[in-house]
Amino acid sequence: MKRLSALGRSLVAVLLSFGFVLSVPGSASGVVYAQIEGTGSTWSSLIVDQWIADVSANGMKVVYTGGGSSKGRKDFSLKSTDFAISEIPYQGTDEQGNADTSAGREYAYLPIVAGGTAFTYQLKIGNKRVDNLRLSGDTLTKIFTNKITSWDDPAIAKDNNGRSFPKLPITPVVRSDGSGTTAQFTTWMDKAHPADWRAFFGKAGLTSYFPRKGRAVSQSGSDQVMNYIASNAGNGTIGYVEYAYPLDKDFPVVKVLNQAGYFVEPTEFNTAVALTKAKINEDKASQLYLTQILDGVYTNPDPRAYPISSYSYMVIPTGATDTRMSTAKRQTLADFMFYSLCSGQSKAGAYGYSPLPVNLVQAGFEQLAKLKVADPAVELSNRDVKSCNNPTFDGKNLRKNLLAEKAPQPAACDKAGAGPCGTKTGTGQPSTDQPAAPADEAAPAAGGEVPAADPGAAPVEAAPAVVDPVTGESTVPVASTTGETSTEAIYANPTELSADRPGDAKAFSLLAVALLIGLVVLPGVYAGSLRRRSVSRGAK
């Protein structure tokens, strides 16, 4: 995993030693924090862990222990945690007949990150690992429902344009715990390949507990699924995890056939394109507000779309009389999630996820405002979506998803009947024939699903970006828009966005002073300590 560099840790230590605490974007000085705890999704835990590390220097203590989405929702209902993370909402009654509700605890959902459920595998020909496997959705479903059980099956060869694979038993690796990843995967199979899935499962619908049959092996958590597949005994295995796990492990993933006839992997670009067809529940009076409906994602006709893309959600407590919550806990949760929804989204792509579009970030801010409704002492001033450094944001048009527009077209060798491409998967980089485009140019769209720049129009000059050295936020000016709304998505109303943060200059000044003191004082302190040790040794 990517960690803070030694230099970064040293600088933080220097600042703290002089009594400086870096401010959280938008947070007020003098706020009091208390430790908060959560459980739930392992699908999104890698990016959540990074956000926790990022805010720890600001005095926030966040403990997140995963355990699976089902556990997260259950723990939250028992009031043993302060938040939960889950890929699916409370189901009322789960597939085993057990209650899956909040047990009366008031709550709200907010999306935290997007990503793609990837199929990572280990398959060797001789002693060489296969790094560019392609599979259709039909073939994948048959593998996980035990209808295809050997790697030399003709359907696998067909997906790979006639390429043959060894006669080796396939070992599916599934989750043993109640998993949002399993729920997302089985929802897709139930919608896209119902005949095979329902015959295997015994009924229609999703499940959080994958039925282990045949040669399947079950493991608890995404990390253990990944570790089992990557082990020395993993040859012949295939499992499902969020794309972040094979990316972190430098392991290959399956390129999945999409509706347009191209095999693609779940890079941040392909996921962003796919989710332009996600429907979001817009009923603010509903407990399911902001939850996802992914049918359009599965059938997105854009050649760049990865079909098994989705969002992960946090469950936050909103009751004024919630006995587990205090002002300090609510403040910690608000500031932690403000960072995660704002500056934290800039790290999503590098970790194998995809950042949220502006409409969902703004909606997330609105959900966090319910913490202040529950407790007016919570400080939520100066929360400005315009300042968020997010790759999906277009500073001149908040209704655009810039990352989806810039997503490159798949390579010709990724088309069904061609290739396969010889490039390695699981690197985070899209497979494309296009040269790298300048940052202010969008890749041409195909299928009309994501609008591209008009080639006949004059080039638009991007506003210069100024990066806040304290918060890492971009302060690109945002032009006003018409304020029109869409019938298929929630869009932020620019007229409701707050003003620029008044404390930025002060924070920058404090940081500059601290660094200057460190640069001037530390060398002398260090030299003095060396002289003292030298004198001490000489006196012995």
Side-chain angles (χ1 to χ4, degrees):
M1 287 302 299
K2 305 158 184 72
R3 303 293 185 191
L4 283 173
S5 66
L7 176 59
R9 290 192 298 269
S10 299
L11 286 174
V12 170
V14 168
L15 295 174
L16 293 176
S17 69
F18 285 102
F20 289 92
V21 178
L22 301 185
S23 64
V24 178
S27 66
S29 59
V31 297
V32 176
Y33 294 132
Q35 177 173 302
I36 56 173
E37 300 171 355
T39 59
S41 168
T42 60
W43 188 92
S44 53
S45 64
L46 294 184
I47 190 64
V48 171
D49 287 345
Q50 179 58 44
W51 293 336
I52 290 172
D54 291 345
V55 302
S56 63
N58 299 287
M60 279 182 276
K61 178 67 173 176
V62 183
V63 178
Y64 184 69
T65 53
S69 294
S70 296
K71 174 177 170 57
R73 297 193 305 276
K74 183 66 173 178
D75 289 345
F76 185 85
S77 73
L78 296 173
K79 288 191 176 180
S80 60
T81 55
D82 306 302
F83 66 90
I85 298 178
S86 177
E87 277 68 68
I88 60 172
Y90 282 110
Q91 301 294 292
T93 302
D94 68 17
E95 62 272 24
Q96 298 175 338
N98 301 315
D100 184 16
T101 71
S102 70
R105 190 179 189 186
E106 295 178 65
Y107 67 94
Y109 298 114
L110 66 148
I112 60 170
V113 76
T117 298
F119 300 90
T120 187
Y121 63 94
Q122 185 180 157
L123 179 60
K124 294 180 179 178
I125 299 178
N127 290 320
K128 185 175 181 181
R129 191 175 72 187
V130 176
D131 285 329
N132 59 345
L133 183 68
R134 314 190 314 186
L135 296 174
S136 66
D138 184 65
T139 302
L140 274 168
T141 301
K142 284 181 165 58
I143 286 174
F144 282 92
T145 57
N146 295 340
K147 290 190 173 182
I148 292 178
T149 58
S150 178
W151 286 106
D152 66 345
D153 191 283
I156 298 176
K158 181 181 177 182
D159 288 344
N160 291 274
N161 202 22
R163 184 182 183 187
S164 60
F165 296 98
K167 185 176 180 60
L168 177 70
I170 298 174
T171 302
V173 184
V174 301
R175 291 283 290 275
S176 62
D177 52 330
S179 159
T181 317
T182 297
Q184 294 289 22
F185 177 33
T186 58
T187 298
W188 170 74
M189 287 194 289
D190 186 63
K191 297 284 188 179
H193 306 281
D196 287 335
W197 167 245
R198 293 173 186 179
F200 175 79
F201 185 42
K203 58 182 178 180
L206 64 83
T207 179
S208 297
Y209 298 87
F210 201 98
R212 187 175 68 85
K213 302 179 183 180
R215 285 185 55 85
V217 172
S218 58
Q219 296 289 305
S220 179
S222 298
D223 53 343
Q224 293 307 310
V225 170
M226 185 71 248
N227 290 340
Y228 189 94
I229 293 169
S231 70
N232 292 334
N235 191 30
T237 57
I238 182 170
Y240 55 91
V241 293
E242 206 285 327
Y243 186 54
Y245 287 87
L247 184 64
D248 178 56
K249 209 82 170 177
D250 193 25
F251 235 70
V253 300
V254 171
K255 286 185 176 180
V256 178
L257 185 66
N258 64 20
Q259 188 75 11
Y262 283 85
F263 292 92
V264 296
E265 63 180 294
T267 65
E268 62 173 324
F269 301 100
N270 297 337
T271 296
V273 170
L275 288 170
T276 61
K277 289 299 183 182
K279 296 276 186 75
I280 301 298
N281 188 311
E282 301 180 37
D283 183 1
K284 292 188 176 183
S286 169
Q287 192 64 68
L288 293 174
Y289 175 55
L290 296 184
T291 56
Q292 57 196 338
I293 303 168
L294 299 172
D295 298 42
V297 175
Y298 305 150
T299 58
N300 191 328
D302 194 298
R304 302 167 293 174
Y306 183 77
I308 317 171
S309 299
S310 58
Y311 297 109
S312 187
Y313 289 80
M314 179 175 281
V315 185
I316 62 170
T318 58
T321 59
D322 194 312
T323 55
R324 185 176 170 90
M325 301 306 291
S326 63
T327 300
K329 281 191 171 186
R330 290 187 179 98
Q331 189 69 59
T332 306
L333 184 57
D335 285 348
F336 170 55
M337 284 315 301
F338 177 74
Y339 169 79
S340 302
L341 289 172
C342 192
S343 298
Q345 294 294 310
S346 66
K347 297 188 175 183
Y351 277 78
Y353 298 88
S354 191
L356 296 175
V358 65
N359 57 305
L360 293 185
V361 173
Q362 179 68 41
F365 284 6
E366 293 169 0
Q367 294 291 73
L368 289 175
K370 294 180 179 179
L371 297 172
K372 186 174 181 65
V373 173
D375 183 351
V378 174
E379 173 57 53
L380 293 181
S381 60
N382 302 321
R383 308 299 166 117
D384 183 5
V385 74
K386 292 187 298 181
S387 67
C388 295
N389 181 20
N390 184 316
T392 72
F393 289 11
D394 182 336
K396 296 188 176 182
N397 185 347
L398 291 179
R399 295 184 59 189
K400 283 187 177 181
N401 184 324
L402 203 57
L403 189 65
E405 287 196 9
K406 291 181 177 180
Q409 295 296 326
C413 52
D414 281 325
K415 189 170 179 59
C421 298
T423 52
K424 180 181 176 181
T425 60
T427 65
Q429 299 302 314
S431 173
T432 182
D433 296 325
Q434 293 177 213
D440 59 347
E441 292 182 11
E449 299 308 315
V450 179
D454 180 359
V460 178
E461 188 172 328
V466 180
V467 178
D468 185 327
V470 177
T471 67
E473 294 179 316
S474 170
T475 56
V476 178
V478 179
S480 62
T481 68
T482 63
E484 296 177 356
T485 58
S486 167
T487 59
E488 294 189 358
I490 308 164
Y491 290 99
N493 183 349
T495 62
E496 296 177 356
L497 303 182
S498 60
D500 292 336
R501 298 167 298 151
D504 285 354
K506 181 179 178 181
F508 178 81
S509 300
L510 290 174
L511 178 61
V513 170
L515 290 175
L516 180 60
I517 292 172
L519 289 173
V520 171
V521 174
L522 282 184
V525 172
Y526 181 68
S529 67
L530 289 179
R531 286 194 297 270
R532 285 193 295 273
R533 284 201 293 267
S534 177
V535 170
S536 176
R537 284 196 299 267
K540 291 181 180 179

